[in-house]
Amino acid sequence: MFIRRAPNTYEKIQALGGMASDDILSRPEGRTTRPYSAPRNNPAPGVYRSALPNGKYVNLMRVMFTDFCKMDCAFCPNSHWVPRRRFAFKVDELANAFMEMYRRHTVTGLFLSSGVAGTGSKTTEKMIKVVDLIRNKHGFGGYVHVKVMPGTEQEYVEAAYRLGTRLSVNLEAPNPELMTKLSAMKEQRRDILAPMGWIDRLTRSAANGAVGQATQLVVGAADETDWDIFERIDQLYGQWNLKRVYYAAFRPVRHTPLEEHPPTPLEREHRLYQVDWLKRVYRYSNEELKLAFADDGLLPLDADPKTSIAVYNLDAFPVDVNTASREELLRAPGVGPASAQRIVTNRRRHSIDSWRDLQVMGVVRKRAWPFLTLPGYRPPRAKQLKMDLFRADAERPRLSVAPAAQQGGHAHSAAPCGVERSCTGCPMYGAPGHPGAVMSKAA
Ligand code: SF4
């Protein structure tokens, strides 16, 4: 008779660290165009290099508590559809393994995720116990990111908030209707948006706890458009002050209902990150960003969104680097926030006279030359208009979207959720017990 021995801690870290790398939240920030290549970049099993906003890197232990999952998400290798061997840590086993790696200076923080074994609350409770041990028994005070499981009850969300540094709940699909295409077991308003709303309220309160939340969307699995995704992220950044939204291009997994569904091109994921960046960092308005979308609601894969918007607004260019405002400079392709700031700072001391000066400040000349003027240089407009790429892009049919109020929503101020905007599309619209939903249904 064949008896399989129980895996040891190292084998569990190998297996569950590998599964955690499938989670886009566990990819290093900034490495967004290609899937993170775990074997090449990881110093050790379960250890991932993560980029900080200041450009430095830290090693985090990124691991799942278990890859057992009772849920039926049609895109997920951990779903119950997939027949394979599963692993699970014990609470003290994972806490001790993390502390051992921390004491050896292999990692400086923890990213803890899991499949849903039992209920969301039960799984989150076990993850909280791990964090409680490393915080209160071992005295670890560093970075801990806790993934809150779908369907977790409020008391466990509050406990995770008190112990974690960053929390996240995976949104997976942009709205509850599209979520039904991915899972019959997850009800997005009840299981995902409600915990996200609790985290939002906690992070806005004066209590000590996690400093923000993030989320993740799977791109292409529910046949959603990029505009569907954009509308959701606009609300998440605006109303719930999310720190980051991550996008994962769908890849079909054998044995799941979507195994025959075509994979999403990685360029689509990349275009969404670019639009996200324009929204979050460059502060483009929605009206401007709408121009980047084709009339089918998708971002063209062959066109950079910032260039596409600039080409559409060609009459606003070229801008003079010595007089344009920072916002005008930021709208020129090839000029980023850092280079725009350097231009504004440097021109107070002296005029900027050459492309060499601009390149030293970080401007990408091969992208910026049609959009900037310098003393003695003005881009030849005739040449711009002759460029096939520009002409094709300028003539591309753009998205036309009616404002929310015309789509059946209604604007109200002093909403119960504290947000002044249309109810339609509000993350909590229709959520059980949410007063905004009552108002909307009555309207
Ligand atoms: S709940 Fe999470 S781990 Fe489980 S199947 Fe869905 S996406 Fe995968």
Side-chain angles (χ1 to χ4, degrees):
M1 187 174 68
F2 175 70
I3 300 176
R4 181 181 266 173
R5 74 173 169 79
N8 60 32
T9 305
Y10 182 75
E11 289 165 334
K12 289 181 188 177
I13 291 175
Q14 273 190 315
L16 295 171
M19 291 314 298
S21 72
D22 272 352
D23 193 315
I24 194 154
L25 277 171
S26 69
R27 290 180 203 166
E29 295 197 22
R31 294 186 61 105
T32 54
T33 55
R34 294 285 178 271
Y36 186 37
S37 170
R40 187 156 43 92
N41 295 313
N42 293 339
V47 180
Y48 294 84
R49 276 168 70 74
S50 279
L52 299 174
N54 62 10
K56 293 185 178 167
Y57 281 84
V58 291
N59 284 344
L60 297 181
M61 181 184 191
R62 295 183 184 260
V63 73
M64 297 183 80
F65 183 78
T66 175
D67 59 350
F68 284 102
C69 190
K70 64 160 198 183
M71 305 298 260
D72 63 345
C73 303
F75 55 87
C76 180
N78 297 321
S79 59
H80 69 60
W81 304 106
V82 182
R84 62 172 170 78
R85 190 181 183 192
R86 310 285 176 134
F87 297 84
F89 283 106
K90 295 189 175 74
V91 168
D92 54 349
E93 181 186 22
L94 181 52
N96 290 339
F98 169 73
M99 289 311 300
E100 186 63 28
M101 291 169 90
Y102 175 67
R103 289 190 191 107
R104 289 169 186 238
H105 303 289
T106 311
V107 295
T108 55
L110 174 65
F111 178 102
L112 184 55
S113 175
S114 184
V116 183
T119 64
S121 292
K122 270 194 171 168
T123 311
T124 304
E125 185 186 14
K126 285 186 183 155
M127 295 160 73
I128 291 167
K129 283 181 180 168
V130 174
V131 184
D132 187 41
L133 276 182
I134 66 171
R135 287 269 194 246
N136 297 324
K137 182 177 171 193
H138 299 289
F140 175 75
Y143 179 87
V144 177
H145 184 138
V146 182
K147 181 86 71 77
V148 174
M149 295 295 103
T152 298
E153 291 158 273
Q154 190 165 358
E155 62 182 292
Y156 298 105
V157 172
E158 287 170 359
Y161 167 78
R162 284 193 293 273
L163 290 164
T165 316
R166 172 92 47 110
L167 303 182
S168 59
V169 191
N170 283 0
L171 194 57
E172 316 295 14
N175 60 50
E177 292 68 40
L178 288 165
M179 189 71 217
T180 58
K181 291 189 177 184
L182 303 182
S183 169
M185 298 172 79
K186 274 186 189 169
E187 209 285 298
Q188 197 183 55
R189 290 191 186 96
R190 180 195 63 206
D191 297 334
I192 298 170
L193 293 172
M196 288 177 77
W198 297 329
I199 295 170
D200 174 60
R201 254 170 268 152
L202 288 165
T203 51
R204 285 173 198 269
S205 70
N208 277 342
V211 292
Q213 66 168 320
T215 192
Q216 168 179 314
L217 284 147
V218 180
V219 180
D223 298 324
E224 74 290 330
T225 65
D226 294 329
W227 183 255
D228 291 331
I229 293 175
F230 177 76
E231 282 191 308
R232 176 58 82 198
I233 66 165
D234 179 39
Q235 291 145 12
L236 294 178
Y237 284 135
Q239 293 180 11
W240 284 357
N241 200 21
L242 258 75
K243 296 287 180 206
R244 286 296 304 267
V245 178
Y246 294 82
Y247 311 93
F250 166 74
R251 285 169 286 170
V253 177
R254 209 166 149 235
H255 301 296
T256 60
L258 293 179
E259 68 177 329
E260 303 289 335
H261 194 284
T264 303
L266 285 171
E267 284 72 21
R268 186 173 170 198
E269 179 187 305
H270 181 52
R271 296 288 173 230
L272 282 165
Y273 274 110
Q274 288 180 310
V275 168
D276 181 296
W277 195 253
L278 292 177
K279 174 86 196 156
R280 196 162 48 86
V281 180
Y282 288 68
R283 307 259 173 222
Y284 273 52
S285 70
N286 290 0
E287 285 305 308
E288 287 175 287
L289 285 173
K290 214 192 297 180
L291 298 172
F293 292 80
D295 56 353
D296 58 1
L298 294 172
L299 291 162
L301 298 183
D302 59 351
D304 164 63
K306 188 177 178 186
T307 306
S308 183
I309 294 167
V311 168
Y312 190 82
N313 290 325
L314 210 54
D315 289 343
F317 296 99
V319 292
D320 187 333
V321 292
N322 285 299
T323 56
S325 67
R326 184 174 177 276
E327 287 63 39
E328 286 169 335
L329 289 168
L330 269 179
R331 266 124 188 98
V335 182
S339 45
Q341 191 54 50
R342 285 187 201 119
I343 291 170
V344 171
T345 307
N346 279 293
R347 74 188 184 191
R348 287 191 200 122
R349 295 195 288 268
H350 57 82
S351 153
I352 298 167
D353 296 333
S354 70
W355 278 105
R356 177 85 195 120
D357 287 350
L358 287 172
Q359 284 172 300
V360 168
M361 292 174 211
V363 173
V364 183
R365 181 176 180 173
K366 71 176 180 195
R367 294 188 62 215
W369 70 265
F371 302 101
L372 299 181
T373 76
L374 294 160
Y377 171 79
R378 191 173 176 85
R381 189 163 173 77
K383 193 173 168 187
Q384 281 178 42
L385 294 173
K386 268 188 212 154
M387 292 171 71
D388 285 346
L389 170 67
F390 281 19
R391 197 171 329 117
D393 211 39
E395 289 166 5
R396 192 192 303 277
R398 309 282 166 147
L399 185 69
S400 152
V401 181
Q406 291 172 26
Q407 293 173 16
H410 65 273
H412 64 82
S413 59
C417 51
V419 178
E420 291 196 15
R421 57 184 298 151
S422 163
C423 276
T424 299
C426 166
M428 292 308 291
Y429 181 75
H434 185 257
V438 175
M439 288 171 66
S440 301
K441 279 172 186 163

